[in-house]
Amino acid sequence: MHERGHSGRRYVVTGGASGIGRAVSEVLIRDGAYVAVADRDVDAAQQVADTLGERCLAVRLDVSSRSSWDEASRQVRDELGGVDGLVNNAGITRDRTMKRMSDDEWQQVIDVHLRGTWLGCQILADDLGASSTGSIVNISSSGRHGSYGQTNYAAAKAGIVGLTKSVALELAKHGVRCNAVAPGAVETPMLADVPETVKQGWMDATALGRLAQPEEIAEAVAFLLSPASSYVTAHVLDVNGGEMHL
Ligand code: NAP
């Protein structure tokens, strides 16, 4: 496969130890890039790095913490010498209907998805600007349109869209693009506890009639990171198999 201009570029992938983040890291390494797999579970990140080879670096990062971002970004600068692209992908769910949701369940999800994405953009903005072709990809979700039992997650994922477009406006003058990918349902550990009947309902409401594999999301992310998408910014790319919003 064509390496799409990734060869030699340096990327940070948050939540890179599992699911979509791991698949993104694999695609980028395959295409010749250097990848910092940044995850709160640094042992799991190290296992991914060991599997993907010497161009892959494991980094400890809690995306919701500024001091953790400061430390992780120093490590990436020291070991990779700069950053050409950032994927704000780390995520959690704390599902509960609105009336029963606790303050903690609300705040944890907002902190990881929304604050984590904002911190990543802010802390790596100058590094990305130093590359003449910096690119940020934030992971939103089709849940941004509203999702039962996920007021916290839907609000965070909708917020990521506004954040993405604002960052695109602010960083364009530095040559940095910022886009979002909005997956539908993807077969990853995040869906492990979702009942089969619920998954079937999602598949029935999707033109392709199935869930996505993480690699199918990773290919879209890789396109938006690469110079091949040089005129695409402030865009939300749905990768949802033709999901019908009923
Ligand atoms: P996943 O397999 O659970 O992977 C998420 C990774 O992020 C895990 O390694 C997780 O670590 C890590 N993480 C969680 N909190 C973190 C933090 N504070 N700092 C750093 N890393 C953290 O989930 P996934 O399905 O690949 O999800 C990736 C992204 O896609 C998320 O933003 C998710 O919302 C989005 N998305 C997923 C789907 C889907 O159907 N799967 C659909 C739309 C959008 P732990 O394992 O320790 O929690």
Side-chain angles (χ1 to χ4, degrees):
M1 188 173 289
H2 189 258
E3 49 90 1
R4 290 180 294 200
H6 287 303
S7 188
R9 280 168 70 81
R10 300 149 301 178
Y11 296 113
V12 175
V13 181
T14 74
S18 176
I20 294 168
R22 184 189 171 119
V24 169
S25 302
E26 283 171 3
V27 166
L28 296 173
I29 290 286
R30 180 202 67 196
D31 286 356
Y34 293 80
V35 178
V37 173
D39 205 285
R40 65 177 170 184
D41 184 347
V42 75
D43 294 334
Q46 188 60 58
Q47 278 178 21
V48 173
D50 290 345
T51 308
L52 295 186
E54 61 183 16
R55 278 184 281 106
C56 193
L57 167 75
V59 176
R60 183 192 304 277
L61 171 67
D62 172 357
V63 294
S64 62
S65 157
R66 178 177 291 281
S67 60
S68 182
W69 266 110
D70 284 340
E71 206 171 307
S73 57
R74 268 197 301 274
Q75 185 188 348
V76 170
R77 281 177 209 118
D78 285 351
E79 301 200 32
L80 298 185
V83 183
D84 302 294
L86 165 66
V87 185
N88 285 304
N89 162 82
I92 58 168
T93 51
R94 296 288 182 270
D95 296 353
R96 190 96 52 203
T97 51
M98 180 189 66
K99 288 208 240 173
R100 292 171 185 269
M101 188 174 287
S102 68
D103 281 0
D104 268 1
E105 287 164 338
W106 167 264
Q107 201 59 49
Q108 283 173 26
V109 168
I110 296 296
D111 281 351
V112 171
H113 290 276
L114 197 49
R115 177 174 160 79
T117 299
W118 175 71
L119 280 173
C121 294
Q122 188 192 56
I123 286 172
L124 292 183
D126 287 346
D127 302 271
L128 291 158
S131 158
S132 54
T133 56
S135 176
I136 301 169
V137 178
N138 297 326
I139 304 298
S140 179
S141 168
S142 53
R144 75 188 187 279
H145 296 295
S147 179
Y148 192 94
Q150 291 194 310
T151 48
N152 48 4
Y153 186 83
K157 291 306 199 186
I160 283 174
V161 171
L163 170 64
T164 297
K165 295 187 181 202
S166 307
V167 171
L169 291 173
E170 292 190 14
L171 297 188
K173 58 180 171 292
H174 302 294
V176 179
R177 297 179 296 109
C178 184
N179 293 288
V181 165
V186 190
E187 277 193 61
T188 72
M190 185 173 271
L191 297 195
D193 295 333
V194 175
E196 285 308 315
T197 49
V198 172
K199 287 188 200 167
Q200 189 57 54
W202 292 341
M203 291 189 264
D204 292 343
T206 300
L208 293 182
R210 62 176 177 83
L211 305 184
Q213 294 304 308
E215 298 71 29
E216 296 178 287
I217 311 303
E219 292 292 347
V221 173
F223 167 68
L224 290 172
L225 284 174
S226 80
S229 59
S230 56
Y231 201 58
V232 184
T233 196
H235 185 67
V236 181
L237 177 57
D238 282 302
V239 185
N240 62 19
E243 201 173 284
M244 274 71 86
H245 294 289
L246 304 173

